[in-house]
Amino acid sequence: MSNASRVVVVTGGTRGIGLGLAREFLARGCQVVICGRSEDAVQKALAELGDGVRTSGLAADVSDRDAVQRLWDHAVAAFGRVDVWVNNAGLSTSRGDLHTIGASEVEAVFAVNVVGVVNGCAVASQGMAGQPGGGWIWNMEGFGSRGEHQDGMAVYGSSKRAVQYLTQALVRQTKGSQVKVGFLSPGIVATELLVGDYAEDPAGFDKVKKIFNILGDRVETVTPWLADRVLSADKHGVRVAWLTRGKAARRFMTAGFTKRDIFGEAD
């Protein structure tokens, strides 16, 4: 199937990595549907994408299964089918010891990062199983997905660890079917989500900023690479990872010779 005929849904597509992916899929000829938490955010993102013919969007709370179903139905009504569904929507808490993070904040993170991905997988897998050619579901990894640990990251890390298990389970469930599943790992990317983790700890951000500048990248650097590999994937259960161990090691080896600032103004 050519990219020009592929329909891609990106949840959390109004900013950050989600908006970056939407832009790159659009640039590769796809038809793109995004969702965000408010109609204003969706309309602002659609205006930034700038193509009213091949883009559409809907305000949707991914923690609500019915809202996710409406997103699927909206995409099918607009473009006829869904070929790629990217569960990108995510939240984080401010960094801190577990007892300092309020219950409502914890619930919000798990509602989006875990329940939202469950809903996306359930709706998309059912819809794709019922359409000719099936389709691809991609779940976004994050810190904690593969068992990483760091102080202050208990809630977010736990939610992403749950997504890892969920994705593995879906890979097994859909084996042999026309529904394909993949893991999408963007690495460390300078987004509002990353900076927001340190909203209550600017001193902590200053301490880790050097590491982020070694290992991290901008949205516009990472998302073209991810989009290319999502669209060319052919192996069920594949993991598409930007920041590999080898790349991280090379970054550290050359850090003394390379000045990087992923949080500054783009050139």
Side-chain angles (χ1 to χ4, degrees):
M1 180 181 293
S2 70
N3 289 345
S5 60
R6 299 183 83 175
V7 180
V8 182
V9 174
V10 182
T11 70
T14 61
R15 61 179 183 170
I17 294 172
L19 181 58
L21 283 172
R23 183 178 290 112
E24 296 304 328
F25 286 129
L26 189 63
R28 285 153 180 76
C30 300
Q31 299 167 99
V32 179
V33 179
I34 61 172
C35 80
R37 284 178 285 178
S38 73
E39 185 63 27
D40 286 347
V42 170
Q43 293 305 318
K44 181 177 182 292
L46 290 174
E48 289 184 34
L49 292 172
D51 186 318
V53 176
R54 291 187 294 117
T55 61
S56 189
L58 190 72
D61 177 358
V62 295
S63 68
D64 179 344
R65 179 74 65 89
D66 290 339
V68 176
Q69 183 64 57
R70 287 193 293 272
L71 178 61
W72 173 277
D73 294 342
H74 176 89
V76 172
F79 300 119
R81 58 181 288 122
V82 176
D83 299 291
V84 178
W85 182 287
V86 182
N87 284 309
N88 166 76
L91 288 179
S92 185
T93 67
S94 54
R95 294 173 64 87
D97 292 340
L98 189 58
H99 69 277
T100 69
I101 302 171
S104 61
E105 197 175 358
V106 174
E107 290 166 5
V109 167
F110 274 82
V112 173
N113 294 11
V114 181
V115 177
V117 178
V118 170
N119 289 339
C121 289
V123 168
S125 62
Q126 182 181 34
M128 289 173 178
Q131 68 182 11
W136 274 89
I137 299 169
W138 294 88
N139 289 342
M140 191 69 72
E141 293 186 329
F143 186 87
S145 288
R146 309 187 79 195
E148 305 93 337
H149 286 273
Q150 191 176 102
D151 292 344
M153 294 291 286
V155 175
Y156 180 80
S158 297
S159 74
K160 285 299 183 179
R161 189 64 165 163
V163 169
Q164 181 82 352
Y165 183 94
L166 170 67
T167 310
Q168 291 169 341
L170 192 61
V171 168
R172 291 172 64 90
Q173 176 186 307
T174 56
K175 184 178 180 180
S177 76
Q178 289 190 306
V179 180
K180 308 301 182 187
V181 181
F183 304 78
L184 201 56
S185 180
I188 299 170
V189 185
T191 63
E192 292 179 28
L193 186 68
L194 178 64
V195 176
D197 288 348
Y198 295 87
E200 305 298 324
D201 185 17
F205 182 68
D206 287 340
K207 290 180 181 179
V208 299
K209 192 174 180 180
K210 181 178 179 181
I211 298 298
F212 286 162
N213 277 325
I214 293 173
L215 295 179
D217 291 281
R218 298 177 186 272
V219 169
E220 59 268 28
T221 302
V222 176
T223 51
W225 187 90
L226 294 177
D228 282 339
R229 278 145 189 83
V230 164
L231 294 175
S232 64
D234 58 6
K235 183 180 179 182
H236 182 52
V238 67
R239 181 172 183 260
V240 170
W242 168 260
L243 184 63
T244 62
R245 290 183 179 179
K247 182 180 287 185
R250 291 190 294 274
R251 289 274 181 92
F252 277 116
M253 289 175 62
T254 60
F257 310 99
T258 307
K259 182 176 176 58
R260 306 175 80 241
D261 182 9
I262 66 172
F263 301 100
E265 293 293 328
D267 295 335

